[in-house]
mmCIF file of all heavy atoms in Angstrom:
data_model
loop_
_atom_site.group_PDB
_atom_site.id
_atom_site.type_symbol
_atom_site.label_atom_id
_atom_site.label_comp_id
_atom_site.label_asym_id
_atom_site.label_seq_id
_atom_site.Cartn_x
_atom_site.Cartn_y
_atom_site.Cartn_z
ATOM 1 N N SER A 1 -15.837 -3.761 -10.033
ATOM 2 C CA SER A 1 -14.296 -3.955 -9.816
ATOM 3 C C SER A 1 -13.538 -2.663 -10.037
ATOM 4 O O SER A 1 -14.066 -1.739 -10.847
ATOM 5 C CB SER A 1 -13.671 -4.892 -10.880
ATOM 6 O OG SER A 1 -14.208 -6.276 -10.664
ATOM 7 N N LEU A 2 -12.408 -2.469 -9.458
ATOM 8 C CA LEU A 2 -11.498 -1.292 -9.631
ATOM 9 C C LEU A 2 -10.127 -1.882 -9.628
ATOM 10 O O LEU A 2 -9.751 -2.778 -8.743
ATOM 11 C CB LEU A 2 -11.681 -0.172 -8.612
ATOM 12 C CG LEU A 2 -12.975 0.655 -8.766
ATOM 13 C CD1 LEU A 2 -12.962 1.479 -7.372
ATOM 14 C CD2 LEU A 2 -12.845 1.522 -9.955
ATOM 15 N N ARG A 3 -9.160 -1.125 -10.237
ATOM 16 C CA ARG A 3 -7.730 -1.379 -10.064
ATOM 17 C C ARG A 3 -7.141 -0.103 -9.608
ATOM 18 O O ARG A 3 -7.089 0.850 -10.372
ATOM 19 C CB ARG A 3 -7.239 -1.992 -11.275
ATOM 20 C CG ARG A 3 -5.701 -2.418 -11.048
ATOM 21 C CD ARG A 3 -5.049 -3.051 -12.238
ATOM 22 N NE ARG A 3 -4.480 -2.022 -13.128
ATOM 23 C CZ ARG A 3 -3.480 -2.237 -13.950
ATOM 24 N NH1 ARG A 3 -2.808 -3.399 -14.050
ATOM 25 N NH2 ARG A 3 -3.062 -1.233 -14.628
ATOM 26 N N LEU A 4 -6.538 -0.211 -8.390
ATOM 27 C CA LEU A 4 -5.725 0.983 -7.929
ATOM 28 C C LEU A 4 -4.247 0.736 -8.403
ATOM 29 O O LEU A 4 -3.742 -0.283 -8.360
ATOM 30 C CB LEU A 4 -5.877 1.029 -6.385
ATOM 31 C CG LEU A 4 -7.220 1.017 -5.735
ATOM 32 C CD1 LEU A 4 -7.164 1.257 -4.300
ATOM 33 C CD2 LEU A 4 -8.094 2.154 -6.394
ATOM 34 N N SER A 5 -3.598 1.906 -8.528
ATOM 35 C CA SER A 5 -2.281 1.965 -8.952
ATOM 36 C C SER A 5 -1.485 2.992 -7.887
ATOM 37 O O SER A 5 -2.117 3.976 -7.401
ATOM 38 C CB SER A 5 -1.988 2.323 -10.339
ATOM 39 O OG SER A 5 -2.595 1.608 -11.280
ATOM 40 N N CYS A 6 -0.201 2.709 -7.660
ATOM 41 C CA CYS A 6 0.557 3.467 -6.830
ATOM 42 C C CYS A 6 1.921 3.661 -7.403
ATOM 43 O O CYS A 6 2.616 2.637 -7.555
ATOM 44 C CB CYS A 6 0.553 2.957 -5.384
ATOM 45 S SG CYS A 6 1.855 3.886 -4.381
ATOM 46 N N ALA A 7 2.366 4.793 -7.890
ATOM 47 C CA ALA A 7 3.588 5.045 -8.516
ATOM 48 C C ALA A 7 4.481 5.682 -7.522
ATOM 49 O O ALA A 7 4.225 6.636 -6.893
ATOM 50 C CB ALA A 7 3.375 5.954 -9.753
ATOM 51 N N ALA A 8 5.569 4.926 -7.346
ATOM 52 C CA ALA A 8 6.573 5.530 -6.379
ATOM 53 C C ALA A 8 7.952 6.018 -6.944
ATOM 54 O O ALA A 8 8.295 5.556 -8.133
ATOM 55 C CB ALA A 8 7.034 4.252 -5.548
ATOM 56 N N SER A 9 8.458 6.985 -6.381
ATOM 57 C CA SER A 9 9.605 7.695 -6.813
ATOM 58 C C SER A 9 10.375 8.256 -5.636
ATOM 59 O O SER A 9 9.877 8.217 -4.526
ATOM 60 C CB SER A 9 9.239 8.846 -7.809
ATOM 61 O OG SER A 9 8.544 9.771 -7.202
ATOM 62 N N GLY A 10 11.646 8.596 -5.918
ATOM 63 C CA GLY A 10 12.511 9.208 -4.993
ATOM 64 C C GLY A 10 13.535 8.461 -4.301
ATOM 65 O O GLY A 10 14.459 8.915 -3.636
ATOM 66 N N ARG A 11 13.639 7.119 -4.479
ATOM 67 C CA ARG A 11 14.679 6.290 -4.083
ATOM 68 C C ARG A 11 14.715 4.884 -4.830
ATOM 69 O O ARG A 11 13.615 4.723 -5.553
ATOM 70 C CB ARG A 11 14.496 5.969 -2.518
ATOM 71 C CG ARG A 11 13.394 5.052 -2.204
ATOM 72 C CD ARG A 11 13.309 4.617 -0.845
ATOM 73 N NE ARG A 11 12.383 3.550 -0.640
ATOM 74 C CZ ARG A 11 12.007 3.016 0.572
ATOM 75 N NH1 ARG A 11 12.468 3.620 1.697
ATOM 76 N NH2 ARG A 11 11.075 2.175 0.685
ATOM 77 N N THR A 12 15.586 4.101 -4.567
ATOM 78 C CA THR A 12 15.597 2.671 -5.031
ATOM 79 C C THR A 12 14.744 1.951 -4.108
ATOM 80 O O THR A 12 14.899 1.920 -2.920
ATOM 81 C CB THR A 12 17.009 2.115 -5.146
ATOM 82 O OG1 THR A 12 17.809 2.897 -5.984
ATOM 83 C CG2 THR A 12 16.969 0.681 -5.506
ATOM 84 N N PHE A 13 13.765 1.151 -4.678
ATOM 85 C CA PHE A 13 12.938 0.427 -3.884
ATOM 86 C C PHE A 13 13.300 -1.110 -3.767
ATOM 87 O O PHE A 13 12.478 -1.820 -3.217
ATOM 88 C CB PHE A 13 11.443 0.593 -4.451
ATOM 89 C CG PHE A 13 10.977 1.992 -4.247
ATOM 90 C CD1 PHE A 13 11.102 2.995 -5.228
ATOM 91 C CD2 PHE A 13 10.260 2.281 -3.097
ATOM 92 C CE1 PHE A 13 10.617 4.277 -5.051
ATOM 93 C CE2 PHE A 13 9.828 3.564 -2.900
ATOM 94 C CZ PHE A 13 9.959 4.540 -3.831
ATOM 95 N N SER A 14 14.321 -1.510 -4.297
ATOM 96 C CA SER A 14 14.885 -2.766 -4.156
ATOM 97 C C SER A 14 14.903 -3.273 -2.672
ATOM 98 O O SER A 14 15.417 -2.703 -1.923
ATOM 99 C CB SER A 14 16.285 -2.862 -4.681
ATOM 100 O OG SER A 14 16.771 -4.260 -4.624
ATOM 101 N N GLY A 15 14.225 -4.457 -2.503
ATOM 102 C CA GLY A 15 14.259 -5.034 -1.221
ATOM 103 C C GLY A 15 13.027 -4.569 -0.255
ATOM 104 O O GLY A 15 12.997 -5.037 0.836
ATOM 105 N N TYR A 16 12.381 -3.501 -0.610
ATOM 106 C CA TYR A 16 11.397 -3.007 0.244
ATOM 107 C C TYR A 16 9.950 -3.533 -0.073
ATOM 108 O O TYR A 16 9.481 -3.505 -1.278
ATOM 109 C CB TYR A 16 11.287 -1.490 0.141
ATOM 110 C CG TYR A 16 12.599 -0.818 0.631
ATOM 111 C CD1 TYR A 16 13.577 -0.667 -0.151
ATOM 112 C CD2 TYR A 16 12.486 -0.460 1.985
ATOM 113 C CE1 TYR A 16 14.747 0.105 0.337
ATOM 114 C CE2 TYR A 16 13.638 0.138 2.573
ATOM 115 C CZ TYR A 16 14.756 0.372 1.727
ATOM 116 O OH TYR A 16 15.940 0.972 2.375
ATOM 117 N N ALA A 17 9.245 -3.998 0.918
ATOM 118 C CA ALA A 17 7.804 -4.212 0.820
ATOM 119 C C ALA A 17 6.882 -3.005 0.471
ATOM 120 O O ALA A 17 7.353 -2.009 0.865
ATOM 121 C CB ALA A 17 7.309 -5.044 1.974
ATOM 122 N N MET A 18 5.903 -3.293 -0.202
ATOM 123 C CA MET A 18 4.967 -2.163 -0.333
ATOM 124 C C MET A 18 3.539 -2.650 -0.027
ATOM 125 O O MET A 18 3.370 -3.963 -0.040
ATOM 126 C CB MET A 18 4.850 -1.685 -1.784
ATOM 127 C CG MET A 18 6.154 -0.997 -2.242
ATOM 128 S SD MET A 18 6.228 -0.214 -3.795
ATOM 129 C CE MET A 18 5.146 1.266 -3.303
ATOM 130 N N GLY A 19 2.644 -1.893 0.441
ATOM 131 C CA GLY A 19 1.315 -2.218 0.924
ATOM 132 C C GLY A 19 0.200 -1.385 0.734
ATOM 133 O O GLY A 19 0.424 -0.124 0.177
ATOM 134 N N TRP A 20 -0.984 -1.810 0.896
ATOM 135 C CA TRP A 20 -2.134 -0.980 0.814
ATOM 136 C C TRP A 20 -2.870 -1.059 1.969
ATOM 137 O O TRP A 20 -3.017 -2.009 2.715
ATOM 138 C CB TRP A 20 -3.082 -1.563 -0.294
ATOM 139 C CG TRP A 20 -2.606 -1.178 -1.690
ATOM 140 C CD1 TRP A 20 -1.957 -2.135 -2.521
ATOM 141 C CD2 TRP A 20 -2.895 -0.115 -2.468
ATOM 142 N NE1 TRP A 20 -1.641 -1.625 -3.660
ATOM 143 C CE2 TRP A 20 -2.249 -0.296 -3.791
ATOM 144 C CE3 TRP A 20 -3.484 1.168 -2.257
ATOM 145 C CZ2 TRP A 20 -2.261 0.693 -4.730
ATOM 146 C CZ3 TRP A 20 -3.516 2.152 -3.257
ATOM 147 C CH2 TRP A 20 -2.859 1.945 -4.481
ATOM 148 N N PHE A 21 -3.312 0.210 2.464
ATOM 149 C CA PHE A 21 -4.126 0.319 3.686
ATOM 150 C C PHE A 21 -5.404 1.105 3.328
ATOM 151 O O PHE A 21 -5.469 1.778 2.229
ATOM 152 C CB PHE A 21 -3.388 1.076 4.691
ATOM 153 C CG PHE A 21 -2.145 0.384 5.300
ATOM 154 C CD1 PHE A 21 -1.046 0.249 4.517
ATOM 155 C CD2 PHE A 21 -2.171 -0.246 6.555
ATOM 156 C CE1 PHE A 21 0.129 -0.408 4.900
ATOM 157 C CE2 PHE A 21 -1.082 -0.830 6.991
ATOM 158 C CZ PHE A 21 0.045 -0.977 6.141
ATOM 159 N N ARG A 22 -6.376 1.043 4.168
ATOM 160 C CA ARG A 22 -7.584 1.920 3.998
ATOM 161 C C ARG A 22 -8.152 2.429 5.177
ATOM 162 O O ARG A 22 -7.849 1.985 6.236
ATOM 163 C CB ARG A 22 -8.589 1.068 3.294
ATOM 164 C CG ARG A 22 -9.248 -0.104 4.062
ATOM 165 C CD ARG A 22 -10.000 -1.053 3.260
ATOM 166 N NE ARG A 22 -10.668 -2.009 3.932
ATOM 167 C CZ ARG A 22 -11.368 -3.043 3.428
ATOM 168 N NH1 ARG A 22 -11.610 -3.045 2.123
ATOM 169 N NH2 ARG A 22 -12.000 -3.942 4.301
ATOM 170 N N GLN A 23 -8.892 3.515 5.170
ATOM 171 C CA GLN A 23 -9.505 4.184 6.192
ATOM 172 C C GLN A 23 -10.785 4.621 5.816
ATOM 173 O O GLN A 23 -11.098 5.447 5.012
ATOM 174 C CB GLN A 23 -8.609 5.427 6.734
ATOM 175 C CG GLN A 23 -9.170 5.942 8.049
ATOM 176 C CD GLN A 23 -8.233 7.003 8.606
ATOM 177 O OE1 GLN A 23 -7.264 7.451 7.934
ATOM 178 N NE2 GLN A 23 -8.302 7.202 9.968
ATOM 179 N N ALA A 24 -11.788 4.078 6.594
ATOM 180 C CA ALA A 24 -13.279 4.456 6.375
ATOM 181 C C ALA A 24 -13.652 5.449 7.266
ATOM 182 O O ALA A 24 -13.001 5.708 8.356
ATOM 183 C CB ALA A 24 -14.150 3.222 6.583
ATOM 184 N N PRO A 25 -14.672 6.309 6.949
ATOM 185 C CA PRO A 25 -15.136 7.381 7.944
ATOM 186 C C PRO A 25 -15.281 6.862 9.357
ATOM 187 O O PRO A 25 -16.012 5.898 9.541
ATOM 188 C CB PRO A 25 -16.319 7.883 7.358
ATOM 189 C CG PRO A 25 -16.224 7.640 5.795
ATOM 190 C CD PRO A 25 -15.494 6.337 5.861
ATOM 191 N N GLY A 26 -14.691 7.511 10.381
ATOM 192 C CA GLY A 26 -15.000 7.266 11.750
ATOM 193 C C GLY A 26 -14.159 5.952 12.080
ATOM 194 O O GLY A 26 -14.264 5.455 13.426
ATOM 195 N N LYS A 27 -13.327 5.366 11.322
ATOM 196 C CA LYS A 27 -12.503 4.328 11.517
ATOM 197 C C LYS A 27 -11.033 4.541 11.497
ATOM 198 O O LYS A 27 -10.582 5.480 10.940
ATOM 199 C CB LYS A 27 -12.879 3.088 10.620
ATOM 200 C CG LYS A 27 -14.388 2.700 10.628
ATOM 201 C CD LYS A 27 -14.810 2.011 11.793
ATOM 202 C CE LYS A 27 -16.242 1.601 11.725
ATOM 203 N NZ LYS A 27 -16.702 0.938 13.028
ATOM 204 N N GLU A 28 -10.256 3.627 12.226
ATOM 205 C CA GLU A 28 -8.813 3.680 12.258
ATOM 206 C C GLU A 28 -8.373 3.175 10.849
ATOM 207 O O GLU A 28 -9.026 2.241 10.103
ATOM 208 C CB GLU A 28 -8.205 2.988 13.274
ATOM 209 C CG GLU A 28 -8.417 3.476 14.713
ATOM 210 C CD GLU A 28 -7.739 2.888 15.756
ATOM 211 O OE1 GLU A 28 -7.049 1.912 15.586
ATOM 212 O OE2 GLU A 28 -7.817 3.293 16.872
ATOM 213 N N ARG A 29 -7.207 3.477 10.350
ATOM 214 C CA ARG A 29 -6.565 2.994 9.310
ATOM 215 C C ARG A 29 -6.296 1.527 9.482
ATOM 216 O O ARG A 29 -5.795 1.158 10.505
ATOM 217 C CB ARG A 29 -5.318 3.774 8.865
ATOM 218 C CG ARG A 29 -4.724 3.320 7.588
ATOM 219 C CD ARG A 29 -3.514 4.253 7.228
ATOM 220 N NE ARG A 29 -4.021 5.672 7.000
ATOM 221 C CZ ARG A 29 -3.278 6.627 6.661
ATOM 222 N NH1 ARG A 29 -1.968 6.376 6.380
ATOM 223 N NH2 ARG A 29 -3.747 7.874 6.541
ATOM 224 N N GLU A 30 -6.617 0.686 8.532
ATOM 225 C CA GLU A 30 -6.441 -0.745 8.606
ATOM 226 C C GLU A 30 -5.631 -1.294 7.459
ATOM 227 O O GLU A 30 -5.608 -0.819 6.361
ATOM 228 C CB GLU A 30 -7.753 -1.544 8.682
ATOM 229 C CG GLU A 30 -8.569 -1.455 7.449
ATOM 230 C CD GLU A 30 -9.754 -2.420 7.453
ATOM 231 O OE1 GLU A 30 -9.699 -3.244 8.307
ATOM 232 O OE2 GLU A 30 -10.643 -2.249 6.632
ATOM 233 N N PHE A 31 -4.851 -2.366 7.797
ATOM 234 C CA PHE A 31 -4.026 -2.946 6.770
ATOM 235 C C PHE A 31 -5.012 -3.701 5.743
ATOM 236 O O PHE A 31 -5.922 -4.315 6.029
ATOM 237 C CB PHE A 31 -3.115 -4.026 7.401
ATOM 238 C CG PHE A 31 -2.493 -4.964 6.429
ATOM 239 C CD1 PHE A 31 -1.286 -4.635 5.831
ATOM 240 C CD2 PHE A 31 -2.925 -6.228 6.353
ATOM 241 C CE1 PHE A 31 -0.720 -5.566 4.860
ATOM 242 C CE2 PHE A 31 -2.355 -7.110 5.470
ATOM 243 C CZ PHE A 31 -1.263 -6.741 4.799
ATOM 244 N N VAL A 32 -4.628 -3.692 4.397
ATOM 245 C CA VAL A 32 -5.494 -4.372 3.370
ATOM 246 C C VAL A 32 -4.592 -5.554 2.769
ATOM 247 O O VAL A 32 -4.850 -6.769 2.839
ATOM 248 C CB VAL A 32 -5.941 -3.534 2.219
ATOM 249 C CG1 VAL A 32 -6.554 -4.260 1.242
ATOM 250 C CG2 VAL A 32 -6.870 -2.383 2.854
ATOM 251 N N ALA A 33 -3.361 -5.198 2.266
ATOM 252 C CA ALA A 33 -2.592 -6.160 1.574
ATOM 253 C C ALA A 33 -1.080 -5.650 1.630
ATOM 254 O O ALA A 33 -0.858 -4.414 1.518
ATOM 255 C CB ALA A 33 -3.092 -6.502 0.330
ATOM 256 N N ASP A 34 -0.105 -6.518 1.487
ATOM 257 C CA ASP A 34 1.159 -6.008 0.951
ATOM 258 C C ASP A 34 1.994 -7.141 0.337
ATOM 259 O O ASP A 34 1.400 -8.322 0.121
ATOM 260 C CB ASP A 34 1.978 -5.535 2.350
ATOM 261 C CG ASP A 34 2.302 -6.577 3.387
ATOM 262 O OD1 ASP A 34 1.852 -7.812 3.187
ATOM 263 O OD2 ASP A 34 2.692 -6.151 4.436
ATOM 264 N N ILE A 35 2.999 -6.766 -0.249
ATOM 265 C CA ILE A 35 3.857 -7.677 -1.098
ATOM 266 C C ILE A 35 5.304 -7.444 -0.928
ATOM 267 O O ILE A 35 5.705 -6.153 -0.853
ATOM 268 C CB ILE A 35 3.234 -7.323 -2.528
ATOM 269 C CG1 ILE A 35 3.914 -8.357 -3.594
ATOM 270 C CG2 ILE A 35 3.565 -5.973 -3.014
ATOM 271 C CD1 ILE A 35 3.300 -8.284 -4.915
ATOM 272 N N SER A 36 6.089 -8.505 -0.928
ATOM 273 C CA SER A 36 7.381 -8.401 -0.962
ATOM 274 C C SER A 36 7.973 -7.894 -2.175
ATOM 275 O O SER A 36 7.419 -7.726 -3.181
ATOM 276 C CB SER A 36 8.116 -9.798 -0.624
ATOM 277 O OG SER A 36 7.917 -10.659 -1.710
ATOM 278 N N TRP A 37 9.393 -7.574 -2.166
ATOM 279 C CA TRP A 37 9.980 -6.976 -3.421
ATOM 280 C C TRP A 37 9.942 -7.915 -4.438
ATOM 281 O O TRP A 37 9.693 -7.450 -5.685
ATOM 282 C CB TRP A 37 11.420 -6.720 -3.087
ATOM 283 C CG TRP A 37 12.412 -6.645 -4.162
ATOM 284 C CD1 TRP A 37 13.342 -7.440 -4.714
ATOM 285 C CD2 TRP A 37 12.496 -5.432 -5.118
ATOM 286 N NE1 TRP A 37 13.932 -7.003 -5.837
ATOM 287 C CE2 TRP A 37 13.388 -5.726 -6.044
ATOM 288 C CE3 TRP A 37 11.745 -4.220 -5.074
ATOM 289 C CZ2 TRP A 37 13.660 -4.811 -7.068
ATOM 290 C CZ3 TRP A 37 12.043 -3.388 -6.136
ATOM 291 C CH2 TRP A 37 12.953 -3.623 -7.077
#
């Protein structure tokens, strides 16, 4: 197991979804998960 974290700054994030994507070697970036505000 691993837990990834993403710290955001620079604006108010109220109302904005956030998500995780991943890109493997030789592959296009793909959607993994997202979450509403």
Side-chain angles (χ1 to χ4, degrees):
S1 298
L2 286 172
R3 190 178 80 152
L4 306 183
S5 299
C6 174
S9 62
R11 74 171 188 193
T12 298
F13 291 89
S14 179
Y16 292 91
M18 297 188 71
W20 288 95
F21 296 73
R22 65 187 181 186
Q23 187 168 23
K27 303 291 185 179
E28 295 184 355
R29 188 173 298 184
E30 67 171 343
F31 169 80
V32 177
D34 62 7
I35 185 168
S36 65
W37 164 253

